[in-house]
Amino acid sequence: MVFLGSNRWVGRHADRSVAVYAGRAGDDPTRGRVLVMWASAADTSGTTLDLPGAGTLRVVAGAPDATTITLVDAAGVRHRLDVVTPAWR
């Protein structure tokens, strides 16, 4: 997996830390990409979500205890990401 990051959001949910790294696929500048990482004292897990045609994604809003955050793509379109599931809304 190739990833070029632009920014990140860090928060907490259900006694776990969660970090969302926003950016794009390194091998396709038109494919927005986020890495969602969960960490607790017992384990760490993560997943990748792509948004084809979005270009570089940036986190623009999300409180530290938020379950959804807002990202903006290269064209200025806003997208909502549910960090609990994780899935686009």
Side-chain angles (χ1 to χ4, degrees), residues 13-14 16-19 36-40 43-46 83-86:
H13 180 74
R16 292 178 14 166
S17 295
V18 59
V36 182
M37 302 296 298
W38 289 87
S40 69
D43 70 342
T44 301
S45 62
V83 299
V84 176
T85 51

Side-chain angles (χ1 to χ4, degrees), residues 29-82:
T30 68
R31 183 175 296 273
R33 181 168 286 168
V34 295
L35 309 176
V36 182
M37 302 296 298
W38 289 87
S40 69
D43 70 342
T44 301
S45 62
T47 191
T48 303
L49 288 127
D50 285 353
L51 200 56
T56 301
L57 296 168
R58 291 187 51 80
V59 177
V60 294
D65 60 349
T67 57
T68 60
I69 62 173
T70 303
L71 297 97
V72 66
D73 67 21
V77 176
R78 290 180 174 260
H79 304 274
R80 295 192 43 92
L81 176 68
D82 182 328

Side-chain angles (χ1 to χ4, degrees), residues 2 4 24-33 52-53 55-56:
V2 178
L4 295 174
R24 69 170 178 85
D27 57 348
D28 181 355
T30 68
R31 183 175 296 273
R33 181 168 286 168
T56 301

